[in-house]
Amino acid sequence: MQKYLIILTGPTGIGKTRTGLALAKYFNTEIVSSDSRQIYKELNIGTAVPDKVELTEIKHHLIQNHSIYENFNVSKFENEALSTINSLFFHHNLVLLVGGSMLYINAICNGIDNMPDADPEIRDMLKVKLESEGLESLRFQLKKIDPDYYNTVDLKNTNRIIHALEISLMTGNPYSTYLTKSKKTRPFTIIKIGLNCERTELHNRINTRVDNMINAGLEDEARKLHHLKHLNAMNTVGYRELFAFFDNEISREKAIELIKRNTRRYARKQLTWFRNDEEMNWFEYDQTKEIITFIENQIIEK
RNA sequence: GGUACCAUAGCUCAGUUGGUAGAGCAACGGACUGAAAAUCCGUGUGUCCCUGGUUCAAUUCCAGGUGGUACCA
């Protein structure tokens, strides 16, 4: 029996949760999340996780099942999401993957190369070096260790340079030797559904949603997490702007304004990524009926 | 109703001694292999309020109109 993974995605605030629930009910199946922030159990309001009613109506996976104290990453996501999806196929012919994290979705569709997780000590060491000697020094080191990657990487992107160095130093092999550029094959058929709407309306939806989050108590939630702002997981829109307010760097009003702006920018970045995906089938956010028809036609054809 | 001041990018405003204009913010485009809601790169998007006049040339000067603000009635 052919298995289908329906990937439902789109910019933040477009209504993926709602449409996902409707599809899950219709196809009598379960939802796997592909959201890099909803995966954390400590985050609620700011990540717009499905509420308790929604989570009991339909079984969700990879929602709030990890801690912000862990060093979660895309590779762990790939492994965990794939094994979850494959076990769901034991009882379902169709499974939903719902979320907007582009790289995570890409890892499910195309896979990601195998390499070890970065050693936090080596990363810290490189950060110290960055502080004391500057980015130029890290570039110089990368040029010696991995000239191939040095020639292709964006040399202004500190994160990428640090990552290439930490993997190279840890393993003794140049980072670029781990990049096979091969696409992994999956034992299921993928159908990609993208939700969208006119940009102005998307901005309105986002602005309203941020106001709703503030009214729902986002400030209190963020205040409790303030002392954890150094964690990777807390470098998140909706929290970091409030942290800046708590640290007296900006006003409360300014923080809310920045949350809206940064959410809008995130949505644009998502659209940039998804736009280039030729496999994406685009729908307006309220076309649930059309989406169901589309999926059914796809399945019948195969 | 009268007088003064203002009208330039989505917003706040510069500016052009007359040669079709530029800052900040916002916005937009792009890259993307273990931090990805991350990180990085790039782009002015304009009937200079409207209609006449002067001029080789008007967003700029002049007149009128329209809209706005302030003050006086």
Side-chain angles (χ1 to χ4, degrees):
Chain A
M1 191 71 190
Q2 181 66 47
K3 305 293 183 185
Y4 295 92
L5 180 69
I6 309 298
I7 297 181
L8 179 66
T9 190
T12 186
I14 194 68
K16 296 183 289 293
T17 300
R18 197 179 143 176
T19 305
L21 285 166
L23 295 182
K25 281 178 196 167
Y26 182 87
F27 290 107
N28 190 27
T29 186
E30 302 180 15
I31 290 175
V32 180
S33 167
S34 55
D35 188 301
S36 70
R37 291 300 185 269
Q38 292 182 357
I39 203 162
Y40 295 116
K41 61 188 172 194
E42 292 89 348
L43 309 184
N44 281 292
I45 299 169
T47 55
V49 280
D51 61 39
K52 278 177 184 160
V53 176
E54 291 167 331
L55 291 175
T56 28
E57 274 183 337
I58 298 294
K59 188 125 200 267
H60 283 69
H61 304 267
L62 277 87
I63 289 264
Q64 296 188 313
N65 67 333
H66 286 270
S67 167
I68 57 175
Y69 292 98
E70 294 175 40
N71 283 315
F72 197 73
N73 61 47
V74 61
S75 177
K76 290 176 181 167
F77 175 81
E78 183 196 15
N79 291 331
E80 190 174 334
L82 271 184
S83 71
T84 304
I85 290 164
N86 285 327
S87 64
L88 285 172
F89 279 139
F90 192 69
H91 293 295
H92 301 278
N93 292 326
L94 184 152
V95 168
L96 284 167
L97 185 75
V98 180
S101 298
M102 303 86 84
L103 185 64
Y104 284 20
I105 293 170
N106 190 254
I108 296 301
C109 297
N110 304 316
I112 194 159
D113 290 317
N114 295 321
M115 65 179 82
D117 285 342
D119 179 345
E121 280 183 31
I122 293 183
R123 180 171 292 191
D124 289 345
M125 187 196 82
L126 289 167
K127 279 180 180 171
V128 169
K129 187 171 180 180
L130 175 69
E131 280 296 311
S132 57
E133 299 174 34
L135 181 58
E136 188 54 43
S137 166
L138 295 185
R139 281 186 199 145
F140 184 72
Q141 195 178 4
L142 180 64
K143 193 173 187 176
K144 278 198 299 186
I145 296 177
D146 191 349
D148 286 348
Y149 192 64
Y150 179 87
N151 286 328
T152 53
V153 71
D154 175 358
L155 290 170
K156 289 180 180 169
N157 196 324
T158 310
N159 281 10
R160 301 231 168 101
I161 290 176
I162 286 182
H163 184 237
L165 280 174
E166 66 194 3
I167 296 298
S168 303
L169 292 172
M170 251 179 78
T171 63
N173 302 316
Y175 173 70
S176 57
T177 59
Y178 292 95
L179 306 177
T180 64
K181 286 181 180 169
S182 62
K183 183 178 166 164
K184 292 183 187 168
T185 54
R186 303 303 189 196
F188 46 80
T189 301
I190 291 173
I191 298 173
K192 294 181 186 173
I193 307 290
L195 299 181
N196 202 5
C197 69
E198 201 183 294
R199 191 66 63 94
T200 313
E201 191 186 349
L202 179 61
H203 286 179
N204 290 338
R205 288 174 73 96
I206 287 170
N207 295 340
T208 306
R209 189 169 79 156
V210 172
D211 286 332
N212 291 340
M213 285 176 177
I214 294 294
N215 292 335
L218 179 59
E219 193 179 335
D220 282 346
E221 183 176 308
R223 210 176 276 279
K224 286 172 191 151
L225 298 165
H226 186 197
H227 65 291
L228 300 170
K229 69 172 184 176
H230 58 283
L231 297 176
N232 287 335
M234 295 320 300
N235 189 356
T236 296
V237 175
Y239 297 90
R240 61 180 182 189
E241 296 85 354
L242 285 169
F243 295 158
F245 161 55
F246 301 151
D247 292 335
N248 289 316
E249 288 163 17
I250 55 174
S251 68
R252 182 176 186 273
E253 198 178 33
K254 182 71 179 173
I256 294 170
E257 191 186 313
L258 287 177
I259 293 172
K260 290 177 182 175
R261 184 197 69 182
N262 291 337
T263 307
R264 291 195 298 267
R265 288 182 175 175
Y266 172 50
R268 172 153 50 86
K269 206 170 63 176
Q270 288 174 300
L271 286 167
T272 296
W273 183 298
F274 296 139
R275 215 180 350 247
N276 294 334
D277 189 340
E278 289 174 3
E279 293 167 10
M280 194 67 71
N281 301 286
W282 289 101
F283 290 88
E284 293 291 302
Y285 65 84
D286 55 358
Q287 288 185 303
T288 306
K289 273 171 74 176
E290 286 84 348
I291 293 169
I292 288 172
T293 307
F294 176 81
I295 292 171
E296 287 182 325
N297 287 338
Q298 292 287 306
I299 292 174
I300 290 164
E301 279 171 24
K302 306 256 169 160

PDB file of all heavy atoms in Angstrom, chain A residues 11 13-14 194-205 271 282-286:
ATOM      1  N   PRO A  11       3.815  30.708   5.437  1.00  0.00           N
ATOM      2  CA  PRO A  11       4.385  31.686   6.369  1.00  0.00           C
ATOM      3  C   PRO A  11       3.706  31.654   7.741  1.00  0.00           C
ATOM      4  O   PRO A  11       2.564  31.202   7.852  1.00  0.00           O
ATOM      5  CB  PRO A  11       4.134  33.024   5.678  1.00  0.00           C
ATOM      6  CG  PRO A  11       2.959  32.782   4.802  1.00  0.00           C
ATOM      7  CD  PRO A  11       3.110  31.366   4.327  1.00  0.00           C
ATOM      8  N   GLY A  13       1.626  32.534  10.878  1.00  0.00           N
ATOM      9  CA  GLY A  13       0.382  33.279  11.036  1.00  0.00           C
ATOM     10  C   GLY A  13      -0.638  33.059   9.938  1.00  0.00           C
ATOM     11  O   GLY A  13      -1.711  33.661   9.955  1.00  0.00           O
ATOM     12  N   ILE A  14      -0.350  32.168   8.988  1.00  0.00           N
ATOM     13  CA  ILE A  14      -1.251  32.005   7.846  1.00  0.00           C
ATOM     14  C   ILE A  14      -2.433  31.094   8.199  1.00  0.00           C
ATOM     15  O   ILE A  14      -3.485  31.146   7.558  1.00  0.00           O
ATOM     16  CB  ILE A  14      -0.489  31.439   6.613  1.00  0.00           C
ATOM     17  CG1 ILE A  14      -1.301  31.576   5.321  1.00  0.00           C
ATOM     18  CG2 ILE A  14      -0.119  29.971   6.824  1.00  0.00           C
ATOM     19  CD1 ILE A  14      -1.487  32.992   4.876  1.00  0.00           C
ATOM     20  N   GLY A 194       1.263  24.487   0.147  1.00  0.00           N
ATOM     21  CA  GLY A 194       1.661  25.772   0.711  1.00  0.00           C
ATOM     22  C   GLY A 194       0.459  26.687   0.857  1.00  0.00           C
ATOM     23  O   GLY A 194      -0.322  26.830  -0.071  1.00  0.00           O
ATOM     24  N   LEU A 195       0.288  27.266   2.050  1.00  0.00           N
ATOM     25  CA  LEU A 195      -0.800  28.228   2.277  1.00  0.00           C
ATOM     26  C   LEU A 195      -0.248  29.639   2.136  1.00  0.00           C
ATOM     27  O   LEU A 195       0.853  29.928   2.581  1.00  0.00           O
ATOM     28  CB  LEU A 195      -1.393  28.061   3.682  1.00  0.00           C
ATOM     29  CG  LEU A 195      -2.019  26.719   4.035  1.00  0.00           C
ATOM     30  CD1 LEU A 195      -2.559  26.758   5.460  1.00  0.00           C
ATOM     31  CD2 LEU A 195      -3.135  26.372   3.057  1.00  0.00           C
ATOM     32  N   ASN A 196      -1.045  30.506   1.534  1.00  0.00           N
ATOM     33  CA  ASN A 196      -0.601  31.897   1.406  1.00  0.00           C
ATOM     34  C   ASN A 196      -1.812  32.810   1.266  1.00  0.00           C
ATOM     35  O   ASN A 196      -2.955  32.339   1.156  1.00  0.00           O
ATOM     36  CB  ASN A 196       0.321  32.051   0.188  1.00  0.00           C
ATOM     37  CG  ASN A 196       1.209  33.289   0.304  1.00  0.00           C
ATOM     38  OD1 ASN A 196       1.207  33.982   1.325  1.00  0.00           O
ATOM     39  ND2 ASN A 196       1.952  33.568  -0.737  1.00  0.00           N
ATOM     40  N   CYS A 197      -1.560  34.110   1.276  1.00  0.00           N
ATOM     41  CA  CYS A 197      -2.587  35.100   0.984  1.00  0.00           C
ATOM     42  C   CYS A 197      -1.874  36.382   0.598  1.00  0.00           C
ATOM     43  O   CYS A 197      -0.643  36.438   0.596  1.00  0.00           O
ATOM     44  CB  CYS A 197      -3.512  35.336   2.182  1.00  0.00           C
ATOM     45  SG  CYS A 197      -2.727  36.170   3.573  1.00  0.00           S
ATOM     46  N   GLU A 198      -2.632  37.399   0.291  1.00  0.00           N
ATOM     47  CA  GLU A 198      -2.044  38.674  -0.091  1.00  0.00           C
ATOM     48  C   GLU A 198      -1.191  39.214   1.062  1.00  0.00           C
ATOM     49  O   GLU A 198      -1.534  39.047   2.227  1.00  0.00           O
ATOM     50  CB  GLU A 198      -3.184  39.658  -0.400  1.00  0.00           C
ATOM     51  CG  GLU A 198      -2.776  40.815  -1.266  1.00  0.00           C
ATOM     52  CD  GLU A 198      -3.943  41.776  -1.446  1.00  0.00           C
ATOM     53  OE1 GLU A 198      -4.941  41.347  -2.084  1.00  0.00           O
ATOM     54  OE2 GLU A 198      -3.859  42.896  -0.933  1.00  0.00           O
ATOM     55  N   ARG A 199      -0.092  39.857   0.707  1.00  0.00           N
ATOM     56  CA  ARG A 199       0.886  40.266   1.710  1.00  0.00           C
ATOM     57  C   ARG A 199       0.288  41.197   2.783  1.00  0.00           C
ATOM     58  O   ARG A 199       0.543  41.044   3.966  1.00  0.00           O
ATOM     59  CB  ARG A 199       2.071  40.944   1.021  1.00  0.00           C
ATOM     60  CG  ARG A 199       3.281  41.175   1.912  1.00  0.00           C
ATOM     61  CD  ARG A 199       3.953  39.894   2.371  1.00  0.00           C
ATOM     62  NE  ARG A 199       4.504  39.071   1.329  1.00  0.00           N
ATOM     63  CZ  ARG A 199       5.778  39.128   0.917  1.00  0.00           C
ATOM     64  NH1 ARG A 199       6.608  39.965   1.467  1.00  0.00           N
ATOM     65  NH2 ARG A 199       6.211  38.309  -0.029  1.00  0.00           N
ATOM     66  N   THR A 200      -0.494  42.184   2.341  1.00  0.00           N
ATOM     67  CA  THR A 200      -1.080  43.127   3.302  1.00  0.00           C
ATOM     68  C   THR A 200      -1.936  42.394   4.327  1.00  0.00           C
ATOM     69  O   THR A 200      -1.888  42.689   5.523  1.00  0.00           O
ATOM     70  CB  THR A 200      -1.959  44.161   2.565  1.00  0.00           C
ATOM     71  OG1 THR A 200      -1.224  44.655   1.449  1.00  0.00           O
ATOM     72  CG2 THR A 200      -2.330  45.300   3.482  1.00  0.00           C
ATOM     73  N   GLU A 201      -2.716  41.440   3.850  1.00  0.00           N
ATOM     74  CA  GLU A 201      -3.576  40.692   4.766  1.00  0.00           C
ATOM     75  C   GLU A 201      -2.726  39.853   5.719  1.00  0.00           C
ATOM     76  O   GLU A 201      -3.031  39.746   6.910  1.00  0.00           O
ATOM     77  CB  GLU A 201      -4.534  39.794   3.975  1.00  0.00           C
ATOM     78  CG  GLU A 201      -5.616  39.198   4.864  1.00  0.00           C
ATOM     79  CD  GLU A 201      -6.498  38.181   4.151  1.00  0.00           C
ATOM     80  OE1 GLU A 201      -6.407  38.076   2.913  1.00  0.00           O
ATOM     81  OE2 GLU A 201      -7.260  37.496   4.850  1.00  0.00           O
ATOM     82  N   LEU A 202      -1.656  39.270   5.200  1.00  0.00           N
ATOM     83  CA  LEU A 202      -0.760  38.483   6.048  1.00  0.00           C
ATOM     84  C   LEU A 202      -0.191  39.364   7.157  1.00  0.00           C
ATOM     85  O   LEU A 202      -0.139  38.970   8.328  1.00  0.00           O
ATOM     86  CB  LEU A 202       0.361  37.872   5.202  1.00  0.00           C
ATOM     87  CG  LEU A 202       1.394  37.024   5.960  1.00  0.00           C
ATOM     88  CD1 LEU A 202       0.750  35.830   6.638  1.00  0.00           C
ATOM     89  CD2 LEU A 202       2.506  36.566   5.020  1.00  0.00           C
ATOM     90  N   HIS A 203       0.229  40.565   6.794  1.00  0.00           N
ATOM     91  CA  HIS A 203       0.764  41.493   7.796  1.00  0.00           C
ATOM     92  C   HIS A 203      -0.288  41.831   8.848  1.00  0.00           C
ATOM     93  O   HIS A 203       0.011  41.872  10.048  1.00  0.00           O
ATOM     94  CB  HIS A 203       1.271  42.768   7.120  1.00  0.00           C
ATOM     95  CG  HIS A 203       2.563  42.566   6.391  1.00  0.00           C
ATOM     96  ND1 HIS A 203       3.196  43.559   5.697  1.00  0.00           N
ATOM     97  CD2 HIS A 203       3.344  41.458   6.247  1.00  0.00           C
ATOM     98  CE1 HIS A 203       4.320  43.088   5.163  1.00  0.00           C
ATOM     99  NE2 HIS A 203       4.410  41.820   5.469  1.00  0.00           N
ATOM    100  N   ASN A 204      -1.506  42.054   8.412  1.00  0.00           N
ATOM    101  CA  ASN A 204      -2.574  42.338   9.371  1.00  0.00           C
ATOM    102  C   ASN A 204      -2.795  41.167  10.318  1.00  0.00           C
ATOM    103  O   ASN A 204      -2.975  41.347  11.525  1.00  0.00           O
ATOM    104  CB  ASN A 204      -3.884  42.662   8.639  1.00  0.00           C
ATOM    105  CG  ASN A 204      -3.815  44.009   7.941  1.00  0.00           C
ATOM    106  OD1 ASN A 204      -2.997  44.865   8.311  1.00  0.00           O
ATOM    107  ND2 ASN A 204      -4.642  44.200   6.930  1.00  0.00           N
ATOM    108  N   ARG A 205      -2.781  39.976   9.754  1.00  0.00           N
ATOM    109  CA  ARG A 205      -2.979  38.776  10.583  1.00  0.00           C
ATOM    110  C   ARG A 205      -1.861  38.669  11.617  1.00  0.00           C
ATOM    111  O   ARG A 205      -2.107  38.344  12.785  1.00  0.00           O
ATOM    112  CB  ARG A 205      -2.983  37.514   9.703  1.00  0.00           C
ATOM    113  CG  ARG A 205      -4.227  37.368   8.843  1.00  0.00           C
ATOM    114  CD  ARG A 205      -4.084  36.170   7.896  1.00  0.00           C
ATOM    115  NE  ARG A 205      -4.201  34.897   8.603  1.00  0.00           N
ATOM    116  CZ  ARG A 205      -5.330  34.197   8.688  1.00  0.00           C
ATOM    117  NH1 ARG A 205      -6.425  34.651   8.123  1.00  0.00           N
ATOM    118  NH2 ARG A 205      -5.363  33.046   9.330  1.00  0.00           N
ATOM    119  N   LEU A 271       8.636  32.723   2.876  1.00  0.00           N
ATOM    120  CA  LEU A 271       8.092  32.765   1.515  1.00  0.00           C
ATOM    121  C   LEU A 271       9.213  32.732   0.482  1.00  0.00           C
ATOM    122  O   LEU A 271       9.068  32.116  -0.571  1.00  0.00           O
ATOM    123  CB  LEU A 271       7.217  34.013   1.341  1.00  0.00           C
ATOM    124  CG  LEU A 271       5.861  33.917   2.045  1.00  0.00           C
ATOM    125  CD1 LEU A 271       5.178  35.276   2.113  1.00  0.00           C
ATOM    126  CD2 LEU A 271       4.955  32.918   1.330  1.00  0.00           C
ATOM    127  N   TRP A 282       0.325  25.647  -4.217  1.00  0.00           N
ATOM    128  CA  TRP A 282      -0.131  26.798  -3.424  1.00  0.00           C
ATOM    129  C   TRP A 282      -1.646  26.918  -3.368  1.00  0.00           C
ATOM    130  O   TRP A 282      -2.330  26.731  -4.371  1.00  0.00           O
ATOM    131  CB  TRP A 282       0.459  28.089  -3.999  1.00  0.00           C
ATOM    132  CG  TRP A 282       1.925  28.204  -3.757  1.00  0.00           C
ATOM    133  CD1 TRP A 282       2.925  27.951  -4.654  1.00  0.00           C
ATOM    134  CD2 TRP A 282       2.567  28.565  -2.525  1.00  0.00           C
ATOM    135  NE1 TRP A 282       4.146  28.145  -4.048  1.00  0.00           N
ATOM    136  CE2 TRP A 282       3.962  28.521  -2.749  1.00  0.00           C
ATOM    137  CE3 TRP A 282       2.105  28.926  -1.253  1.00  0.00           C
ATOM    138  CZ2 TRP A 282       4.891  28.823  -1.750  1.00  0.00           C
ATOM    139  CZ3 TRP A 282       3.025  29.225  -0.265  1.00  0.00           C
ATOM    140  CH2 TRP A 282       4.405  29.174  -0.516  1.00  0.00           C
ATOM    141  N   PHE A 283      -2.137  27.266  -2.161  1.00  0.00           N
ATOM    142  CA  PHE A 283      -3.565  27.512  -1.946  1.00  0.00           C
ATOM    143  C   PHE A 283      -3.735  28.720  -1.035  1.00  0.00           C
ATOM    144  O   PHE A 283      -2.832  29.059  -0.273  1.00  0.00           O
ATOM    145  CB  PHE A 283      -4.228  26.295  -1.269  1.00  0.00           C
ATOM    146  CG  PHE A 283      -4.326  25.090  -2.163  1.00  0.00           C
ATOM    147  CD1 PHE A 283      -3.273  24.178  -2.231  1.00  0.00           C
ATOM    148  CD2 PHE A 283      -5.453  24.875  -2.941  1.00  0.00           C
ATOM    149  CE1 PHE A 283      -3.351  23.069  -3.067  1.00  0.00           C
ATOM    150  CE2 PHE A 283      -5.538  23.770  -3.777  1.00  0.00           C
ATOM    151  CZ  PHE A 283      -4.487  22.860  -3.842  1.00  0.00           C
ATOM    152  N   GLU A 284      -4.910  29.350  -1.136  1.00  0.00           N
ATOM    153  CA  GLU A 284      -5.255  30.380  -0.162  1.00  0.00           C
ATOM    154  C   GLU A 284      -5.547  29.682   1.170  1.00  0.00           C
ATOM    155  O   GLU A 284      -5.963  28.521   1.189  1.00  0.00           O
ATOM    156  CB  GLU A 284      -6.502  31.152  -0.613  1.00  0.00           C
ATOM    157  CG  GLU A 284      -6.275  31.990  -1.866  1.00  0.00           C
ATOM    158  CD  GLU A 284      -5.351  33.183  -1.621  1.00  0.00           C
ATOM    159  OE1 GLU A 284      -5.667  34.009  -0.750  1.00  0.00           O
ATOM    160  OE2 GLU A 284      -4.311  33.266  -2.294  1.00  0.00           O
ATOM    161  N   TYR A 285      -5.355  30.413   2.271  1.00  0.00           N
ATOM    162  CA  TYR A 285      -5.456  29.766   3.588  1.00  0.00           C
ATOM    163  C   TYR A 285      -6.853  29.233   3.917  1.00  0.00           C
ATOM    164  O   TYR A 285      -7.009  28.402   4.792  1.00  0.00           O
ATOM    165  CB  TYR A 285      -4.986  30.722   4.695  1.00  0.00           C
ATOM    166  CG  TYR A 285      -5.851  31.945   4.857  1.00  0.00           C
ATOM    167  CD1 TYR A 285      -7.013  31.909   5.626  1.00  0.00           C
ATOM    168  CD2 TYR A 285      -5.518  33.151   4.243  1.00  0.00           C
ATOM    169  CE1 TYR A 285      -7.808  33.025   5.780  1.00  0.00           C
ATOM    170  CE2 TYR A 285      -6.298  34.279   4.395  1.00  0.00           C
ATOM    171  CZ  TYR A 285      -7.450  34.207   5.159  1.00  0.00           C
ATOM    172  OH  TYR A 285      -8.237  35.309   5.294  1.00  0.00           O
ATOM    173  N   ASP A 286      -7.877  29.722   3.199  1.00  0.00           N
ATOM    174  CA  ASP A 286      -9.237  29.252   3.515  1.00  0.00           C
ATOM    175  C   ASP A 286      -9.749  28.207   2.514  1.00  0.00           C
ATOM    176  O   ASP A 286     -10.919  27.871   2.508  1.00  0.00           O
ATOM    177  CB  ASP A 286     -10.200  30.448   3.581  1.00  0.00           C
ATOM    178  CG  ASP A 286     -10.172  31.275   2.289  1.00  0.00           C
ATOM    179  OD1 ASP A 286      -9.375  30.930   1.385  1.00  0.00           O
ATOM    180  OD2 ASP A 286     -10.936  32.246   2.198  1.00  0.00           O
TER     181      ASP A 286
END
